[in-house]
Tab-separated table of all heavy atoms in Angstrom:
chain	number	residue	atom	x	y	z
A	1003	TYR	N	-4.567	4.231	16.194
A	1003	TYR	CA	-3.921	5.159	15.303
A	1003	TYR	C	-4.934	6.189	14.816
A	1003	TYR	O	-5.487	6.047	13.735
A	1003	TYR	CB	-3.287	4.423	14.139
A	1003	TYR	CG	-2.170	3.526	14.575
A	1003	TYR	CD1	-2.407	2.170	14.797
A	1003	TYR	CD2	-0.918	3.989	14.776
A	1003	TYR	CE1	-1.402	1.341	15.233
A	1003	TYR	CE2	0.113	3.179	15.183
A	1003	TYR	CZ	-0.150	1.840	15.433
A	1003	TYR	OH	0.863	1.026	15.851
A	1004	PRO	N	-5.190	7.233	15.600
A	1004	PRO	CA	-6.198	8.207	15.246
A	1004	PRO	C	-5.925	8.887	13.911
A	1004	PRO	O	-6.857	9.228	13.194
A	1004	PRO	CB	-6.157	9.216	16.380
A	1004	PRO	CG	-5.254	8.668	17.409
A	1004	PRO	CD	-4.538	7.507	16.849
A	1005	VAL	N	-4.670	9.105	13.549
A	1005	VAL	CA	-4.357	9.777	12.307
A	1005	VAL	C	-4.891	8.985	11.120
A	1005	VAL	O	-5.533	9.539	10.262
A	1005	VAL	CB	-2.830	10.002	12.171
A	1005	VAL	CG1	-2.490	10.587	10.804
A	1005	VAL	CG2	-2.342	10.949	13.262
A	1006	ALA	N	-4.672	7.675	11.129
A	1006	ALA	CA	-5.176	6.844	10.035
A	1006	ALA	C	-6.693	6.933	9.968
A	1006	ALA	O	-7.272	7.004	8.905
A	1006	ALA	CB	-4.735	5.387	10.235
A	1007	GLY	N	-7.343	6.936	11.127
A	1007	GLY	CA	-8.788	7.037	11.165
A	1007	GLY	C	-9.272	8.351	10.553
A	1007	GLY	O	-10.276	8.365	9.862
A	1008	MET	N	-8.550	9.429	10.811
A	1008	MET	CA	-8.940	10.724	10.270
A	1008	MET	C	-8.771	10.720	8.746
A	1008	MET	O	-9.614	11.228	8.036
A	1008	MET	CB	-8.090	11.826	10.898
A	1008	MET	CG	-8.468	12.109	12.361
A	1008	MET	SD	-7.259	13.106	13.236
A	1008	MET	CE	-6.993	14.476	12.129
A	1009	ILE	N	-7.694	10.112	8.266
A	1009	ILE	CA	-7.461	10.045	6.824
A	1009	ILE	C	-8.576	9.243	6.169
A	1009	ILE	O	-9.037	9.567	5.091
A	1009	ILE	CB	-6.079	9.422	6.531
A	1009	ILE	CG1	-4.985	10.356	6.996
A	1009	ILE	CG2	-5.946	9.109	5.050
A	1009	ILE	CD1	-3.603	9.753	7.005
A	1010	GLU	N	-9.026	8.211	6.848
A	1010	GLU	CA	-10.065	7.334	6.288
A	1010	GLU	C	-11.442	8.003	6.265
A	1010	GLU	O	-12.364	7.452	5.736
A	1010	GLU	CB	-10.169	6.056	7.126
A	1010	GLU	CG	-8.943	5.180	7.084
A	1010	GLU	CD	-8.770	4.532	5.741
A	1010	GLU	OE1	-9.760	4.216	5.063
A	1010	GLU	OE2	-7.632	4.319	5.334
A	1011	GLY	N	-11.552	9.135	6.894
A	1011	GLY	CA	-12.848	9.817	6.930
A	1011	GLY	C	-13.863	9.071	7.770
A	1011	GLY	O	-15.036	9.077	7.494
A	1012	GLY	N	-13.388	8.411	8.837
A	1012	GLY	CA	-14.292	7.751	9.759
A	1012	GLY	C	-14.690	6.348	9.311
A	1012	GLY	O	-15.475	5.693	9.967
A	1013	SER	N	-14.158	5.884	8.202
A	1013	SER	CA	-14.457	4.529	7.728
A	1013	SER	C	-13.914	3.506	8.715
A	1013	SER	O	-12.924	3.750	9.376
A	1013	SER	CB	-13.801	4.324	6.363
A	1013	SER	OG	-13.842	2.966	5.996
A	1014	SER	N	-14.586	2.382	8.817
A	1014	SER	CA	-14.131	1.347	9.744
A	1014	SER	C	-12.907	0.621	9.177
A	1014	SER	O	-12.136	0.069	9.917
A	1014	SER	CB	-15.255	0.347	10.018
A	1014	SER	OG	-15.660	-0.260	8.806
A	1015	ALA	N	-12.740	0.614	7.857
A	1015	ALA	CA	-11.591	-0.045	7.231
A	1015	ALA	C	-10.398	0.905	7.256
A	1015	ALA	O	-10.500	2.035	6.812
A	1015	ALA	CB	-11.923	-0.432	5.807
A	1016	GLN	N	-9.286	0.405	7.789
A	1016	GLN	CA	-8.087	1.239	7.883
A	1016	GLN	C	-6.908	0.547	7.256
A	1016	GLN	O	-6.867	-0.673	7.118
A	1016	GLN	CB	-7.775	1.528	9.357
A	1016	GLN	CG	-8.825	2.392	10.030
A	1016	GLN	CD	-8.399	2.837	11.420
A	1016	GLN	OE1	-7.354	2.403	11.903
A	1016	GLN	NE2	-9.175	3.650	12.050
A	1017	VAL	N	-5.916	1.335	6.880
A	1017	VAL	CA	-4.669	0.814	6.371
A	1017	VAL	C	-3.950	0.117	7.538
A	1017	VAL	O	-3.805	0.729	8.604
A	1017	VAL	CB	-3.794	1.935	5.781
A	1017	VAL	CG1	-2.444	1.392	5.354
A	1017	VAL	CG2	-4.503	2.604	4.617
A	1018	PRO	N	-3.535	-1.124	7.363
A	1018	PRO	CA	-2.848	-1.821	8.471
A	1018	PRO	C	-1.587	-1.092	8.921
A	1018	PRO	O	-0.892	-0.484	8.105
A	1018	PRO	CB	-2.491	-3.187	7.861
A	1018	PRO	CG	-3.407	-3.336	6.689
A	1018	PRO	CD	-3.681	-1.958	6.187
A	1019	ALA	N	-1.299	-1.179	10.225
A	1019	ALA	CA	-0.114	-0.520	10.753
A	1019	ALA	C	1.149	-1.356	10.527
A	1019	ALA	O	2.248	-0.815	10.421
A	1019	ALA	CB	-0.299	-0.256	12.242
A	1020	ALA	N	0.992	-2.691	10.454
A	1020	ALA	CA	2.149	-3.570	10.251
A	1020	ALA	C	2.744	-3.362	8.869
A	1020	ALA	O	2.019	-3.183	7.896
A	1020	ALA	CB	1.718	-5.033	10.420
A	1021	LEU	N	4.084	-3.373	8.808
A	1021	LEU	CA	4.780	-3.187	7.539
A	1021	LEU	C	5.625	-4.416	7.225
A	1021	LEU	O	6.087	-5.116	8.124
A	1021	LEU	CB	5.696	-1.963	7.616
A	1021	LEU	CG	5.044	-0.619	7.870
A	1021	LEU	CD1	6.102	0.472	7.986
A	1021	LEU	CD2	4.028	-0.288	6.790
A	1022	ALA	N	5.809	-4.661	5.930
A	1022	ALA	CA	6.688	-5.742	5.485
A	1022	ALA	C	7.237	-5.393	4.112
A	1022	ALA	O	6.705	-4.532	3.423
A	1022	ALA	CB	5.931	-7.065	5.420
A	1023	VAL	N	8.309	-6.072	3.739
A	1023	VAL	CA	8.854	-5.926	2.393
A	1023	VAL	C	8.130	-6.921	1.513
A	1023	VAL	O	8.048	-8.111	1.838
A	1023	VAL	CB	10.376	-6.174	2.369
A	1023	VAL	CG1	10.913	-6.121	0.937
A	1023	VAL	CG2	11.080	-5.153	3.231
A	1024	VAL	N	7.561	-6.452	0.427
A	1024	VAL	CA	6.811	-7.315	-0.502
A	1024	VAL	C	7.406	-7.181	-1.892
A	1024	VAL	O	7.998	-6.177	-2.237
A	1024	VAL	CB	5.297	-6.959	-0.518
A	1024	VAL	CG1	4.675	-7.176	0.863
A	1024	VAL	CG2	5.068	-5.536	-0.982
A	1025	ARG	N	7.209	-8.239	-2.685
A	1025	ARG	CA	7.747	-8.253	-4.039
A	1025	ARG	C	6.602	-8.117	-5.038
A	1025	ARG	O	5.565	-8.761	-4.892
A	1025	ARG	CB	8.502	-9.573	-4.292
A	1025	ARG	CG	9.191	-9.645	-5.631
A	1025	ARG	CD	9.933	-10.936	-5.831
A	1025	ARG	NE	10.885	-11.221	-4.768
A	1025	ARG	CZ	12.138	-10.766	-4.728
A	1025	ARG	NH1	12.591	-9.990	-5.674
A	1025	ARG	NH2	12.949	-11.064	-3.723
A	1026	VAL	N	6.797	-7.262	-6.038
A	1026	VAL	CA	5.787	-7.074	-7.087
A	1026	VAL	C	5.789	-8.330	-7.974
A	1026	VAL	O	6.855	-8.767	-8.444
A	1026	VAL	CB	6.100	-5.831	-7.948
A	1026	VAL	CG1	5.069	-5.655	-9.045
A	1026	VAL	CG2	6.161	-4.578	-7.055
A	1027	GLU	N	4.608	-8.918	-8.170
A	1027	GLU	CA	4.478	-10.111	-9.003
A	1027	GLU	C	4.427	-9.711	-10.487
A	1027	GLU	O	4.006	-8.592	-10.819
A	1027	GLU	CB	3.198	-10.865	-8.657
A	1027	GLU	CG	3.151	-11.375	-7.201
A	1027	GLU	CD	4.162	-12.452	-6.906
A	1027	GLU	OE1	4.606	-13.137	-7.858
A	1027	GLU	OE2	4.524	-12.605	-5.735
A	1028	PRO	N	4.820	-10.633	-11.403
A	1028	PRO	CA	4.741	-10.323	-12.833
A	1028	PRO	C	3.334	-9.898	-13.237
A	1028	PRO	O	2.365	-10.548	-12.856
A	1028	PRO	CB	5.148	-11.640	-13.511
A	1028	PRO	CG	5.993	-12.321	-12.483
A	1028	PRO	CD	5.411	-11.939	-11.144
A	1029	GLY	N	3.231	-8.790	-13.969
A	1029	GLY	CA	1.954	-8.301	-14.445
A	1029	GLY	C	1.111	-7.573	-13.396
A	1029	GLY	O	-0.002	-7.141	-13.695
A	1030	GLU	N	1.643	-7.432	-12.208
A	1030	GLU	CA	0.874	-6.810	-11.124
A	1030	GLU	C	1.047	-5.297	-11.122
A	1030	GLU	O	2.152	-4.797	-11.246
A	1030	GLU	CB	1.370	-7.396	-9.780
A	1030	GLU	CG	0.503	-7.099	-8.589
A	1030	GLU	CD	0.941	-7.864	-7.363
A	1030	GLU	OE1	2.139	-7.945	-7.067
A	1030	GLU	OE2	0.059	-8.423	-6.696
A	1031	SER	N	-0.054	-4.587	-10.954
A	1031	SER	CA	-0.025	-3.122	-10.824
A	1031	SER	C	0.060	-2.767	-9.346
A	1031	SER	O	-0.165	-3.616	-8.467
A	1031	SER	CB	-1.298	-2.519	-11.433
A	1031	SER	OG	-2.416	-2.863	-10.604
A	1032	LEU	N	0.346	-1.508	-9.058
A	1032	LEU	CA	0.423	-1.082	-7.667
A	1032	LEU	C	-0.934	-1.265	-6.963
A	1032	LEU	O	-0.967	-1.790	-5.847
A	1032	LEU	CB	0.935	0.354	-7.570
A	1032	LEU	CG	1.275	0.829	-6.172
A	1032	LEU	CD1	2.251	-0.075	-5.443
A	1032	LEU	CD2	1.845	2.249	-6.224
A	1033	PRO	N	-2.052	-0.880	-7.579
A	1033	PRO	CA	-3.353	-1.145	-6.922
A	1033	PRO	C	-3.611	-2.642	-6.678
A	1033	PRO	O	-4.168	-2.996	-5.646
A	1033	PRO	CB	-4.362	-0.537	-7.895
A	1033	PRO	CG	-3.620	0.537	-8.605
A	1033	PRO	CD	-2.217	-0.008	-8.764
A	1034	GLN	N	-3.196	-3.491	-7.610
A	1034	GLN	CA	-3.364	-4.940	-7.399
A	1034	GLN	C	-2.519	-5.432	-6.246
A	1034	GLN	O	-2.968	-6.241	-5.432
A	1034	GLN	CB	-2.993	-5.704	-8.693
A	1034	GLN	CG	-4.032	-5.529	-9.785
A	1034	GLN	CD	-3.541	-6.060	-11.116
A	1034	GLN	OE1	-2.357	-5.989	-11.450
A	1034	GLN	NE2	-4.457	-6.609	-11.890
A	1035	LEU	N	-1.275	-4.948	-6.161
A	1035	LEU	CA	-0.414	-5.305	-5.044
A	1035	LEU	C	-1.039	-4.818	-3.735
A	1035	LEU	O	-1.066	-5.572	-2.758
A	1035	LEU	CB	0.972	-4.685	-5.231
A	1035	LEU	CG	1.958	-4.993	-4.091
A	1035	LEU	CD1	3.329	-5.344	-4.652
A	1035	LEU	CD2	2.067	-3.841	-3.129
A	1036	ALA	N	-1.560	-3.618	-3.718
A	1036	ALA	CA	-2.172	-3.052	-2.502
A	1036	ALA	C	-3.346	-3.934	-2.059
A	1036	ALA	O	-3.487	-4.222	-0.864
A	1036	ALA	CB	-2.639	-1.616	-2.762
A	1037	ALA	N	-4.171	-4.368	-3.006
A	1037	ALA	CA	-5.313	-5.215	-2.677
A	1037	ALA	C	-4.858	-6.577	-2.165
A	1037	ALA	O	-5.492	-7.163	-1.290
A	1037	ALA	CB	-6.210	-5.378	-3.902
A	1038	ARG	N	-3.741	-7.067	-2.680
A	1038	ARG	CA	-3.229	-8.394	-2.252
A	1038	ARG	C	-2.654	-8.352	-0.844
A	1038	ARG	O	-2.904	-9.261	-0.055
A	1038	ARG	CB	-2.148	-8.846	-3.257
A	1038	ARG	CG	-1.436	-10.125	-2.850
A	1038	ARG	CD	-0.580	-10.695	-3.968
A	1038	ARG	NE	0.521	-9.842	-4.391
A	1038	ARG	CZ	1.733	-9.837	-3.835
A	1038	ARG	NH1	2.019	-10.599	-2.813
A	1038	ARG	NH2	2.668	-9.034	-4.331
A	1039	VAL	N	-1.887	-7.302	-0.536
A	1039	VAL	CA	-1.194	-7.284	0.776
A	1039	VAL	C	-2.061	-6.789	1.904
A	1039	VAL	O	-1.811	-7.106	3.067
A	1039	VAL	CB	0.142	-6.483	0.723
A	1039	VAL	CG1	1.094	-7.110	-0.295
A	1039	VAL	CG2	-0.099	-5.012	0.445
A	1040	ALA	N	-3.085	-5.989	1.586
A	1040	ALA	CA	-3.991	-5.460	2.627
A	1040	ALA	C	-5.435	-5.560	2.108
A	1040	ALA	O	-6.075	-4.550	1.824
A	1040	ALA	CB	-3.630	-4.020	2.957
A	1041	PRO	N	-5.951	-6.803	1.996
A	1041	PRO	CA	-7.250	-7.014	1.336
A	1041	PRO	C	-8.455	-6.334	1.991
A	1041	PRO	O	-9.413	-6.043	1.330
A	1041	PRO	CB	-7.389	-8.540	1.333
A	1041	PRO	CG	-6.441	-9.056	2.350
A	1041	PRO	CD	-5.339	-8.052	2.430
A	1042	GLY	N	-8.353	-6.047	3.287
A	1042	GLY	CA	-9.512	-5.439	3.961
A	1042	GLY	C	-9.514	-3.926	3.945
A	1042	GLY	O	-10.482	-3.313	4.380
A	1043	ALA	N	-8.446	-3.337	3.425
A	1043	ALA	CA	-8.297	-1.877	3.490
A	1043	ALA	C	-8.643	-1.234	2.138
A	1043	ALA	O	-8.563	-1.880	1.113
A	1043	ALA	CB	-6.852	-1.529	3.886
A	1044	PRO	N	-8.993	0.065	2.167
A	1044	PRO	CA	-9.294	0.756	0.898
A	1044	PRO	C	-8.040	0.817	0.022
A	1044	PRO	O	-6.990	1.306	0.456
A	1044	PRO	CB	-9.700	2.161	1.358
A	1044	PRO	CG	-10.071	2.017	2.797
A	1044	PRO	CD	-9.224	0.895	3.332
A	1045	VAL	N	-8.141	0.313	-1.201
A	1045	VAL	CA	-6.993	0.215	-2.102
A	1045	VAL	C	-6.307	1.556	-2.296
A	1045	VAL	O	-5.077	1.658	-2.254
A	1045	VAL	CB	-7.408	-0.408	-3.453
A	1045	VAL	CG1	-6.302	-0.297	-4.487
A	1045	VAL	CG2	-7.823	-1.859	-3.274
A	1046	ARG	N	-7.103	2.600	-2.525
A	1046	ARG	CA	-6.508	3.922	-2.789
A	1046	ARG	C	-5.628	4.375	-1.622
A	1046	ARG	O	-4.546	4.937	-1.831
A	1046	ARG	CB	-7.631	4.946	-3.030
A	1046	ARG	CG	-7.114	6.299	-3.510
A	1046	ARG	CD	-8.230	7.228	-3.832
A	1046	ARG	NE	-8.946	7.594	-2.589
A	1046	ARG	CZ	-9.934	8.450	-2.528
A	1046	ARG	NH1	-10.360	9.055	-3.612
A	1046	ARG	NH2	-10.504	8.741	-1.383
A	1047	ASP	N	-6.063	4.122	-0.404
A	1047	ASP	CA	-5.301	4.539	0.786
A	1047	ASP	C	-4.035	3.708	0.935
A	1047	ASP	O	-2.983	4.215	1.329
A	1047	ASP	CB	-6.164	4.432	2.031
A	1047	ASP	CG	-7.331	5.398	1.987
A	1047	ASP	OD1	-7.274	6.410	1.279
A	1047	ASP	OD2	-8.354	5.118	2.657
A	1048	VAL	N	-4.130	2.396	0.614
A	1048	VAL	CA	-2.949	1.536	0.702
A	1048	VAL	C	-1.929	1.949	-0.356
A	1048	VAL	O	-0.736	2.018	-0.071
A	1048	VAL	CB	-3.327	0.040	0.563
A	1048	VAL	CG1	-2.097	-0.850	0.591
A	1048	VAL	CG2	-4.293	-0.365	1.684
A	1049	VAL	N	-2.391	2.234	-1.577
A	1049	VAL	CA	-1.498	2.708	-2.636
A	1049	VAL	C	-0.783	3.976	-2.193
A	1049	VAL	O	0.450	4.115	-2.339
A	1049	VAL	CB	-2.273	2.944	-3.951
A	1049	VAL	CG1	-1.424	3.746	-4.950
A	1049	VAL	CG2	-2.721	1.626	-4.572
A	1050	GLU	N	-1.510	4.908	-1.621
A	1050	GLU	CA	-0.917	6.162	-1.151
A	1050	GLU	C	0.161	5.882	-0.095
A	1050	GLU	O	1.244	6.478	-0.111
A	1050	GLU	CB	-2.016	7.086	-0.605
A	1050	GLU	CG	-1.489	8.432	-0.173
A	1050	GLU	CD	-2.591	9.347	0.329
A	1050	GLU	OE1	-3.761	9.156	-0.031
A	1050	GLU	OE2	-2.289	10.256	1.117
A	1051	ARG	N	-0.127	4.963	0.827
A	1051	ARG	CA	0.815	4.640	1.896
A	1051	ARG	C	2.066	3.980	1.309
A	1051	ARG	O	3.197	4.314	1.703
A	1051	ARG	CB	0.139	3.692	2.893
A	1051	ARG	CG	0.986	3.294	4.062
A	1051	ARG	CD	1.020	4.368	5.150
A	1051	ARG	NE	1.677	3.858	6.330
A	1051	ARG	CZ	2.843	4.337	6.786
A	1051	ARG	NH1	3.436	5.346	6.189
A	1051	ARG	NH2	3.417	3.825	7.860
A	1052	ILE	N	1.899	3.064	0.366
A	1052	ILE	CA	3.045	2.417	-0.288
A	1052	ILE	C	3.904	3.474	-1.010
A	1052	ILE	O	5.123	3.464	-0.886
A	1052	ILE	CB	2.581	1.323	-1.279
A	1052	ILE	CG1	1.965	0.144	-0.508
A	1052	ILE	CG2	3.770	0.829	-2.113
A	1052	ILE	CD1	1.274	-0.870	-1.396
A	1053	ARG	N	3.243	4.383	-1.723
A	1053	ARG	CA	3.986	5.425	-2.422
A	1053	ARG	C	4.770	6.289	-1.443
A	1053	ARG	O	5.916	6.657	-1.705
A	1053	ARG	CB	3.050	6.275	-3.278
A	1053	ARG	CG	2.584	5.508	-4.535
A	1053	ARG	CD	1.696	6.316	-5.432
A	1053	ARG	NE	2.359	7.570	-5.833
A	1053	ARG	CZ	1.864	8.417	-6.685
A	1053	ARG	NH1	0.677	8.198	-7.264
A	1053	ARG	NH2	2.487	9.530	-6.995
A	1054	ASN	N	4.143	6.652	-0.311
A	1054	ASN	CA	4.831	7.456	0.694
A	1054	ASN	C	6.009	6.721	1.310
A	1054	ASN	O	7.091	7.281	1.486
A	1054	ASN	CB	3.869	7.918	1.778
A	1054	ASN	CG	2.872	8.948	1.301
A	1054	ASN	OD1	3.071	9.601	0.291
A	1054	ASN	ND2	1.764	9.102	1.992
A	1055	LEU	N	5.811	5.452	1.666
A	1055	LEU	CA	6.850	4.659	2.304
A	1055	LEU	C	8.068	4.456	1.395
A	1055	LEU	O	9.190	4.338	1.877
A	1055	LEU	CB	6.304	3.280	2.710
A	1055	LEU	CG	5.346	3.263	3.895
A	1055	LEU	CD1	4.632	1.913	3.964
A	1055	LEU	CD2	6.109	3.530	5.194
A	1056	ASN	N	7.823	4.411	0.094
A	1056	ASN	CA	8.872	4.111	-0.857
A	1056	ASN	C	9.296	5.288	-1.714
A	1056	ASN	O	10.095	5.153	-2.646
A	1056	ASN	CB	8.437	2.940	-1.743
A	1056	ASN	CG	8.232	1.667	-0.948
A	1056	ASN	OD1	9.153	0.963	-0.637
A	1056	ASN	ND2	6.982	1.404	-0.579
A	1057	ALA	N	8.757	6.478	-1.405
A	1057	ALA	CA	9.057	7.709	-2.167
A	1057	ALA	C	8.856	7.511	-3.655
A	1057	ALA	O	9.705	7.894	-4.479
A	1057	ALA	CB	10.475	8.178	-1.850
A	1058	LEU	N	7.741	6.887	-4.036
A	1058	LEU	CA	7.437	6.663	-5.456
A	1058	LEU	C	6.760	7.909	-6.027
A	1058	LEU	O	5.867	8.481	-5.431
A	1058	LEU	CB	6.477	5.463	-5.624
A	1058	LEU	CG	6.976	4.106	-5.098
A	1058	LEU	CD1	5.895	3.058	-5.288
A	1058	LEU	CD2	8.248	3.697	-5.812
A	1059	ASP	N	7.178	8.287	-7.234
A	1059	ASP	CA	6.602	9.464	-7.896
A	1059	ASP	C	5.314	9.108	-8.653
A	1059	ASP	O	4.563	9.989	-9.040
A	1059	ASP	CB	7.597	10.060	-8.895
A	1059	ASP	CG	8.794	10.680	-8.175
A	1059	ASP	OD1	8.622	11.134	-7.029
A	1059	ASP	OD2	9.890	10.693	-8.748
A	1060	SER	N	5.089	7.815	-8.882
A	1060	SER	CA	3.908	7.393	-9.644
A	1060	SER	C	3.483	6.006	-9.166
A	1060	SER	O	4.106	5.440	-8.280
A	1060	SER	CB	4.227	7.342	-11.143
A	1060	SER	OG	5.087	6.242	-11.415
A	1061	ASN	N	2.439	5.476	-9.812
A	1061	ASN	CA	1.975	4.121	-9.496
A	1061	ASN	C	2.737	3.046	-10.288
A	1061	ASN	O	2.376	1.890	-10.254
A	1061	ASN	CB	0.470	3.990	-9.794
A	1061	ASN	CG	-0.384	4.632	-8.716
A	1061	ASN	OD1	0.124	5.205	-7.767
A	1061	ASN	ND2	-1.680	4.561	-8.889
A	1062	SER	N	3.765	3.473	-11.027
A	1062	SER	CA	4.506	2.554	-11.883
A	1062	SER	C	5.416	1.653	-11.049
A	1062	SER	O	6.230	2.135	-10.252
A	1062	SER	CB	5.357	3.361	-12.859
A	1062	SER	OG	6.149	2.528	-13.632
A	1063	VAL	N	5.252	0.333	-11.203
A	1063	VAL	CA	6.096	-0.667	-10.525
A	1063	VAL	C	6.507	-1.719	-11.534
A	1063	VAL	O	5.866	-1.885	-12.572
A	1063	VAL	CB	5.388	-1.319	-9.333
A	1063	VAL	CG1	5.163	-0.325	-8.209
A	1063	VAL	CG2	4.071	-1.964	-9.744
A	1064	ALA	N	7.574	-2.434	-11.224
A	1064	ALA	CA	8.090	-3.488	-12.119
A	1064	ALA	C	8.094	-4.831	-11.404
A	1064	ALA	O	8.318	-4.895	-10.185
A	1064	ALA	CB	9.507	-3.128	-12.555
A	1065	ALA	N	7.868	-5.907	-12.152
A	1065	ALA	CA	7.920	-7.249	-11.607
A	1065	ALA	C	9.271	-7.471	-10.922
A	1065	ALA	O	10.306	-7.095	-11.448
A	1065	ALA	CB	7.696	-8.289	-12.695
A	1066	GLY	N	9.237	-8.049	-9.736
A	1066	GLY	CA	10.469	-8.323	-8.990
A	1066	GLY	C	10.904	-7.191	-8.089
A	1066	GLY	O	11.760	-7.371	-7.220
A	1067	GLN	N	10.302	-6.011	-8.282
A	1067	GLN	CA	10.623	-4.857	-7.431
A	1067	GLN	C	10.195	-5.154	-6.011
A	1067	GLN	O	9.146	-5.775	-5.777
A	1067	GLN	CB	9.890	-3.640	-7.969
A	1067	GLN	CG	10.192	-2.324	-7.254
A	1067	GLN	CD	9.499	-1.152	-7.958
A	1067	GLN	OE1	8.919	-1.296	-9.017
A	1067	GLN	NE2	9.600	0.006	-7.347
A	1068	THR	N	10.989	-4.754	-5.030
A	1068	THR	CA	10.600	-4.897	-3.618
A	1068	THR	C	10.167	-3.549	-3.073
A	1068	THR	O	10.782	-2.515	-3.382
A	1068	THR	CB	11.736	-5.477	-2.768
A	1068	THR	OG1	12.916	-4.687	-2.929
A	1068	THR	CG2	12.013	-6.929	-3.150
A	1069	LEU	N	9.113	-3.575	-2.284
A	1069	LEU	CA	8.541	-2.361	-1.711
A	1069	LEU	C	8.183	-2.587	-0.251
A	1069	LEU	O	7.826	-3.702	0.135
A	1069	LEU	CB	7.223	-1.995	-2.466
A	1069	LEU	CG	7.345	-1.660	-3.947
A	1069	LEU	CD1	5.965	-1.587	-4.566
A	1069	LEU	CD2	8.083	-0.352	-4.143
A	1070	ILE	N	8.277	-1.548	0.527
A	1070	ILE	CA	7.750	-1.584	1.895
A	1070	ILE	C	6.240	-1.332	1.785
A	1070	ILE	O	5.848	-0.379	1.118
A	1070	ILE	CB	8.417	-0.525	2.791
A	1070	ILE	CG1	9.926	-0.768	2.847
A	1070	ILE	CG2	7.799	-0.552	4.191
A	1070	ILE	CD1	10.693	0.400	3.443
A	1071	ALA	N	5.444	-2.174	2.414
A	1071	ALA	CA	3.990	-2.021	2.298
A	1071	ALA	C	3.296	-2.396	3.598
A	1071	ALA	O	3.808	-3.219	4.355
A	1071	ALA	CB	3.477	-2.934	1.164
A	1072	PRO	N	2.137	-1.773	3.855
A	1072	PRO	CA	1.332	-2.220	4.997
A	1072	PRO	C	0.734	-3.584	4.665
A	1072	PRO	O	0.322	-3.835	3.539
A	1072	PRO	CB	0.229	-1.140	5.089
A	1072	PRO	CG	0.151	-0.534	3.725
A	1072	PRO	CD	1.520	-0.690	3.102
A	1073	ILE	N	0.727	-4.470	5.650
A	1073	ILE	CA	0.169	-5.818	5.415
A	1073	ILE	C	-0.864	-6.110	6.486
A	1073	ILE	O	-0.768	-5.651	7.619
A	1073	ILE	CB	1.249	-6.907	5.398
A	1073	ILE	CG1	2.027	-6.923	6.717
A	1073	ILE	CG2	2.195	-6.720	4.213
A	1073	ILE	CD1	2.771	-8.196	6.946
A	1074	GLY	N	-1.867	-6.884	6.105
A	1074	GLY	CA	-2.844	-7.286	7.108
A	1074	GLY	C	-4.200	-7.574	6.550
A	1074	GLY	O	-4.588	-7.273	5.502
């Protein structure tokens, strides 16, 4: 996925291509969720991908909310 590599600025860590529906845990922020579902990837990039996939206007999420997210 060359596009992801370009977004990463040549970093070896990339946002995973696999997607899944994930549930926001109680007390969990969007960056925490991003770190949980894609632990090897840059959190900021995973947050951006989650926001794009789910058309979120902000990083605000609620416990129990389901989101499409990259996993891996």
Side-chain angles (χ1 to χ4, degrees):
Y1003 295 95
V1005 174
M1008 288 166 49
I1009 293 170
E1010 295 290 328
S1013 169
S1014 60
Q1016 293 188 355
V1017 175
L1021 298 177
V1023 176
V1024 298
R1025 186 179 305 275
V1026 179
E1027 299 293 336
E1030 192 171 45
S1031 69
L1032 190 54
Q1034 289 169 324
L1035 179 137
R1038 174 169 63 87
V1039 299
V1045 170
R1046 188 176 67 176
D1047 295 336
V1048 177
V1049 167
E1050 183 178 337
R1051 181 82 171 113
I1052 292 170
R1053 286 183 56 175
N1054 289 342
L1055 287 166
N1056 296 279
L1058 300 177
D1059 292 331
S1060 72
N1061 283 1
S1062 176
V1063 292
Q1067 184 175 353
T1068 54
L1069 298 169
I1070 301 167
I1073 58 161

